[in-house]
Amino acid sequence: MMTLQSKIALGCKRLFDMAVAGSALIVLSPIIGLIALAIKMDDGGPVLFNQDRVGRGGRNFRCYKFRTMILGAEAIGNGLTVTADDSRITRVGHWLRL
């Protein structure tokens, strides 16, 4: 059972995390926008790649990342295995993976 003090500490941590993440998103939004535009212009496909992952307590969550490989890459070549010189990586993807 959590004490009142630990609940308050968790609430403060959550508030701090949200403030820092929100501020970072505002500051980095021009760069994020330019990366999204570059991905879209490179091959016209979707900008984001989403993937289900397992988080704390075994709970599933959806993870969104910039797409660095061609569409359908998992069904081509080495499947989920990726090397640095993989031909499925897009031009912008090479830059993002540095």
Side-chain angles (χ1 to χ4, degrees):
M1 186 164 179
M2 292 182 71
T3 65
L4 179 61
Q5 187 176 9
S6 62
K7 286 182 181 181
I8 291 172
L10 281 176
C12 288
K13 181 186 180 318
R14 174 78 172 162
L15 187 63
F16 175 78
D17 290 346
M18 295 295 283
V20 170
S23 299
L25 186 60
I26 291 169
V27 170
L28 296 174
S29 62
I31 295 169
I32 292 169
L34 288 173
I35 291 170
L37 182 64
I39 292 170
K40 193 66 171 176
M41 289 177 59
D42 191 25
D43 69 357
V47 172
L48 297 177
F49 169 77
N50 64 63
Q51 186 177 52
D52 291 329
R53 298 220 175 156
V54 179
R56 180 182 288 167
R59 291 177 35 198
N60 288 341
F61 70 97
R62 180 147 292 181
C63 174
Y64 293 94
K65 306 186 288 186
F66 284 123
R67 186 173 57 83
T68 60
M69 298 184 79
I70 61 172
L71 291 174
E74 60 277 352
I76 303 169
N78 295 331
L80 297 177
T81 304
V82 181
T83 59
D85 61 342
D86 198 316
S87 63
R88 300 172 296 168
I89 300 174
T90 63
R91 290 178 296 180
V92 175
H94 279 289
W95 182 78
L96 289 174
R97 288 173 174 249
L98 288 178

